[in-house]
Amino acid sequence: MKQVVTVMPLTEEYQALLQSVSPELEFYHAGSGQVPEKVLKQAEIIVGNLAPEKVREAEKLQLLQLNSAGADGYLEPGILPSGAHLCNATGAYGLAISEHMIGMLLMLIKKLDLYRENQKRHQWKDEGNVTSIYGSRTLVVGMGDIGTEFGRKMHALGSTVAGVRRHKTTAPEFAEAVYTMDALDEQLGKADIVACSLPGTKETYHLFDGERIRRMKRGAILINVGRGSLVRTEALMEALKSGQLSGACLDVTEQEPLSEESPLWDAPNLILTPHISGNFHLEETRRRIVEIAAENIRALLEGRELRNEVDFATGYRRFRG
């Protein structure tokens, strides 16, 4: 019997789905609670984002299936035993997060945040001109599942869409082109909206610093739903105050949770949410994660290639071409 530990909240339906993979599996469903040390020492498969320091205790681990798209925190030597597979949940979050991005963007460009504040003050006040997605140019930085879903929605709303990703690929039907990262600076100057959904790696740390933000089109909007480390906070604040950026939408920040003293709380033209665009707030996201986990457990048992396996050197999914 293979010992499987789940550390994400699962309904009986989802537990049954995982258990249906094989009668040779024995499960310990911890939900969001603690896992006893003796259980971890026998665990061969873990489903969910168990704290990295606890993963170290799983000496027999063969597969860690994360419930997140990002794998930062699990890539350091010694977290997983030698030979263990690490898989993320890419493919589960595109729907929820892309809709959240659209919502934040529309709130910003239609000034809905201002009208909400006016409503609280009982003020009947016209806040002036707005802009539109229609006729804009959108650059999607990180054209994986989330970026692709966002790009498709922006195209449907009348934006010209281009993408940037690590490897050259054929552009999807809705995109004008997909470039590699060496074209990022050139493309930034052409985009009205720059949407980022990159993981947190050494290469993406402060990718958007002051110099790169200054290369963006003046008055552009920056959206970040990947990792907060991508954008240097001080550079973003300066760009919002100077008008280099007309606005920004963040679901992630460098410091999480954000301190009460952070200048971001009072930044002009900033829509800020506390890293909740994914999570399990949309039930469809949880269903997709469980289906990915079931697929990978089955693949592990059958000795087949795993879906979304993470490359420890890059922090990204292994590129399959």
Side-chain angles (χ1 to χ4, degrees), residues 8-33:
M8 57 179 284
L10 299 174
T11 63
E12 290 184 3
E13 175 189 356
Y14 293 145
Q15 291 180 14
L17 191 156
L18 290 175
Q19 289 163 193
S20 70
V21 170
S22 171
E24 299 301 313
L25 300 172
E26 184 173 324
F27 283 82
Y28 182 94
H29 296 294
S32 300

Side-chain angles (χ1 to χ4, degrees), residues 118-168:
N118 291 346
Q119 179 183 343
K120 291 179 181 178
R121 299 187 185 102
H122 301 188
Q123 290 181 336
W124 188 269
K125 180 184 177 184
D126 188 329
E127 292 292 349
N129 294 341
V130 297
T131 57
S132 178
I133 292 174
Y134 181 84
S136 66
R137 181 177 180 83
T138 299
L139 183 66
V140 179
V141 184
M143 210 153 182
D145 172 49
I146 295 167
T148 296
E149 286 296 316
F150 178 72
R152 182 176 288 112
K153 289 176 173 62
M154 291 295 284
H155 172 75
L157 291 170
S159 184
T160 299
V161 177
V164 173
R165 61 180 304 167
R166 292 172 63 241
H167 300 283
K168 183 66 176 176

Side-chain angles (χ1 to χ4, degrees), residues 32 37 64 70 85-86 103 113-114 142 158 168 214 233 263 287 312:
S32 300
E37 182 178 348
L64 173 59
H85 300 278
L86 175 65
D113 56 326
L114 302 183
K168 183 66 176 176
R214 284 190 291 274
T233 300
R287 184 186 67 78
F312 283 84

Side-chain angles (χ1 to χ4, degrees), residues 2-243:
K2 277 199 179 297
Q3 305 299 310
V4 184
V5 173
T6 68
V7 288
M8 57 179 284
L10 299 174
T11 63
E12 290 184 3
E13 175 189 356
Y14 293 145
Q15 291 180 14
L17 191 156
L18 290 175
Q19 289 163 193
S20 70
V21 170
S22 171
E24 299 301 313
L25 300 172
E26 184 173 324
F27 283 82
Y28 182 94
H29 296 294
S32 300
Q34 298 294 315
V35 182
E37 182 178 348
K38 64 178 181 180
V39 173
L40 274 182
K41 285 192 175 298
Q42 298 303 315
E44 295 167 85
I45 299 170
I46 297 175
V47 178
N49 286 34
L50 184 69
E53 61 270 19
K54 299 298 291 183
V55 173
R56 290 179 186 271
E57 299 177 19
E59 301 167 353
K60 298 183 178 180
L61 189 65
Q62 298 175 18
L63 168 63
L64 173 59
Q65 172 62 64
L66 300 175
N67 59 247
S68 63
D72 40 315
Y74 297 92
L75 301 172
E76 298 301 320
I79 300 296
L80 273 69
S82 177
H85 300 278
L86 175 65
C87 296
N88 67 23
T90 294
Y93 290 97
L95 173 64
I97 296 181
S98 65
E99 287 185 347
H100 188 91
M101 294 164 77
I102 293 288
M104 289 196 295
L105 178 60
L106 285 172
M107 174 173 278
L108 180 66
I109 67 175
K110 300 305 180 185
K111 300 183 177 178
L112 300 183
D113 56 326
L114 302 183
Y115 289 111
R116 179 62 174 169
E117 289 303 311
N118 291 346
Q119 179 183 343
K120 291 179 181 178
R121 299 187 185 102
H122 301 188
Q123 290 181 336
W124 188 269
K125 180 184 177 184
D126 188 329
E127 292 292 349
N129 294 341
V130 297
T131 57
S132 178
I133 292 174
Y134 181 84
S136 66
R137 181 177 180 83
T138 299
L139 183 66
V140 179
V141 184
M143 210 153 182
D145 172 49
I146 295 167
T148 296
E149 286 296 316
F150 178 72
R152 182 176 288 112
K153 289 176 173 62
M154 291 295 284
H155 172 75
L157 291 170
S159 184
T160 299
V161 177
V164 173
R165 61 180 304 167
R166 292 172 63 241
H167 300 283
K168 183 66 176 176
T169 59
T170 302
E173 74 286 352
F174 62 82
E176 177 185 81
V178 175
Y179 303 93
T180 49
M181 290 296 288
D182 57 359
L184 174 61
D185 288 339
E186 178 186 356
Q187 293 304 314
L188 282 176
K190 303 176 181 179
D192 303 293
I193 299 157
V194 177
C196 304
S197 54
L198 294 171
T201 68
K202 294 177 181 177
E203 288 71 29
T204 63
Y205 180 76
H206 283 181
L207 183 66
F208 281 78
D209 56 10
E211 181 180 351
R212 182 152 280 118
I213 290 175
R214 284 190 291 274
R215 289 174 180 165
M216 293 174 64
K217 185 177 182 180
R218 185 167 180 83
I221 292 170
L222 179 64
I223 303 173
N224 187 23
V225 295
R227 286 294 181 267
S229 58
L230 182 76
V231 180
R232 188 168 182 268
T233 300
E234 295 82 1
L236 176 62
M237 287 296 302
E238 180 182 340
L240 289 171
K241 289 178 179 179
S242 70

